[in-house]
Amino acid sequence: MTITTEEDHYLRRILTLLDSARAVWLLAPAQRLLRVQRRLSMQAGEIKHSDHLTALLQQQPKRAPDVRLQQLTDLVVEAGTDRADAKKALRSTPHSEIVREAGALLPMGADEAEVVRSSCSSLAHGDTYGTLSVLDHTIVDTQGRVNLAQITGSPKRLFWAADRTVAMLRRGFELFRKRATCHH
């Protein structure tokens, strides 16, 4: 499969939008404790994925998963989380929820941010619904119930995705500058 330049741009948009939305999601809460909890919850998700990959590779982790999770639990409690709420605080948040929460803080809103993420993600994963929803297509021939279509990138939609991604990046940098001067 050959990836065209236009498809490559869509793939980059999903990564950049998700990464910048993650930064916005991490930095947005005014309460320092919530920012710490979000960061540690992301790390808990990393541990889960790391352990899954290690198991698939039939390797032994350097440190046991329960030891690593206990360390995160201790950190989140030391940061001010009630021990009874630690497990909930370390729950991994799905990408769609992160993008929606971050998008809600921008004029684009949660729905549009999710549309950008979902449509670009579907293209990145080769899902038909994304191809037919996001890319331009022209029916060239019909054979019975099968359509032969010419699929091309859509400059208008690429601009739209890039514009929303830049807005998310800007918001992330704004929040970073704000938190860098006063992190409490």
Side-chain angles (χ1 to χ4, degrees), residues 18-72:
L18 180 57
D19 293 339
S20 57
R22 186 179 290 170
V24 169
W25 180 78
L26 283 167
L27 294 168
Q31 306 84 10
R32 181 177 184 275
L33 177 58
L34 186 51
R35 295 193 306 270
V36 170
Q37 289 171 338
R38 286 181 173 190
R39 176 58 190 101
L40 293 176
S41 75
M42 287 178 60
Q43 191 60 39
E46 289 287 325
I47 290 172
K48 178 182 172 185
H49 295 300
S50 171
D51 292 338
H52 178 71
L53 182 59
T54 301
L56 289 173
L57 294 170
Q58 298 178 353
Q59 297 176 350
Q60 292 296 319
K62 292 180 182 175
R63 291 185 308 142
D66 58 333
V67 170
R68 294 179 359 207
L69 287 173
Q70 184 59 53
Q71 182 182 18
L72 290 181

Side-chain angles (χ1 to χ4, degrees), residues 12 14 40 43 63 69 73 82 92 107 117 134 139 164:
R12 291 174 195 262
I14 180 59
L40 293 176
Q43 191 60 39
R63 291 185 308 142
L69 287 173
T73 300
D82 189 283
S92 183
R117 186 206 68 84
V134 177
I139 304 299
R164 297 324 184 263

Side-chain angles (χ1 to χ4, degrees), residues 65-165:
D66 58 333
V67 170
R68 294 179 359 207
L69 287 173
Q70 184 59 53
Q71 182 182 18
L72 290 181
T73 300
D74 294 344
L75 286 171
V76 79
V77 168
E78 286 176 30
T81 303
D82 189 283
R83 187 163 292 280
D85 297 329
K87 186 174 182 177
K88 181 180 175 186
L90 295 175
R91 177 188 64 86
S92 183
T93 305
H95 291 156
S96 59
E97 188 176 323
I98 289 171
V99 169
R100 290 188 64 78
E101 285 189 36
L105 301 172
L106 282 85
M108 75 177 86
D111 288 345
E112 190 171 8
E114 175 61 11
V115 167
V116 173
R117 186 206 68 84
S118 182
S119 59
C120 291
S121 177
S122 69
L123 287 173
H125 296 290
D127 297 333
T128 305
Y129 76 91
T131 300
L132 297 176
S133 299
V134 177
L135 300 179
D136 290 338
H137 57 282
T138 305
I139 304 299
V140 178
D141 189 24
T142 301
Q143 299 172 1
R145 294 177 56 196
V146 177
N147 291 325
L148 177 62
Q150 178 182 3
I151 309 290
T152 57
S154 169
K156 180 180 177 181
R157 289 191 181 103
L158 178 58
F159 174 79
W160 166 75
D163 180 67
R164 297 324 184 263
T165 300

